[in-house]
Amino acid sequence: MSAEVTLYSTRFCPYCVAAKRLLDAKGAAYRDIPVDGDPQLRQEMTKRAGQRTVPQIWIGEEHVGGYTDLAALEQRGLLDSLLSPASGA
């Protein structure tokens, strides 16, 4: 079991697709919250993240940011430890 991952996304956003592919490659389960066509969910995401762009990603309670932030964590070798249940998330 891995840390809980939450991802706000839209269907056709290439960064959202890339984020899901990276999480899938890591074997990480994630809760995908689609905000396309749902102003209330987008408002919830914006309030929670402080940003309107998608994707917005949380690992546990930690707001990671968007896809480029997630990819940077992977490039620096930090993503696996964040996704592991031992990270305390």
Side-chain angles (χ1 to χ4, degrees):
M1 185 168 163
S2 61
E4 184 178 322
V5 178
T6 304
L7 169 84
Y8 287 84
S9 69
T10 60
R11 180 182 291 156
F12 299 110
C13 159
Y15 291 103
C16 299
V17 172
K20 292 175 194 178
R21 280 192 187 137
L22 177 54
L23 291 168
D24 288 342
K26 290 289 178 184
Y30 52 89
R31 179 173 170 232
D32 183 18
I33 303 172
V35 299
D36 22 19
D38 193 328
Q40 212 169 3
L41 279 176
R42 188 176 282 269
Q43 185 177 17
E44 171 189 302
M45 176 199 76
T46 302
K47 184 177 179 184
R48 192 172 171 201
Q51 299 182 30
R52 291 188 46 80
T53 59
V54 289
Q56 291 298 321
I57 304 161
W58 280 261
I59 299 176
E61 293 301 311
E62 182 176 340
H63 180 231
V64 171
Y67 169 70
T68 53
D69 304 301
L70 186 70
L73 287 171
E74 170 65 2
Q75 211 166 34
R76 294 188 346 238
L78 302 173
L79 185 56
D80 289 335
S81 63
L82 281 176
L83 291 172
S84 76
S87 68

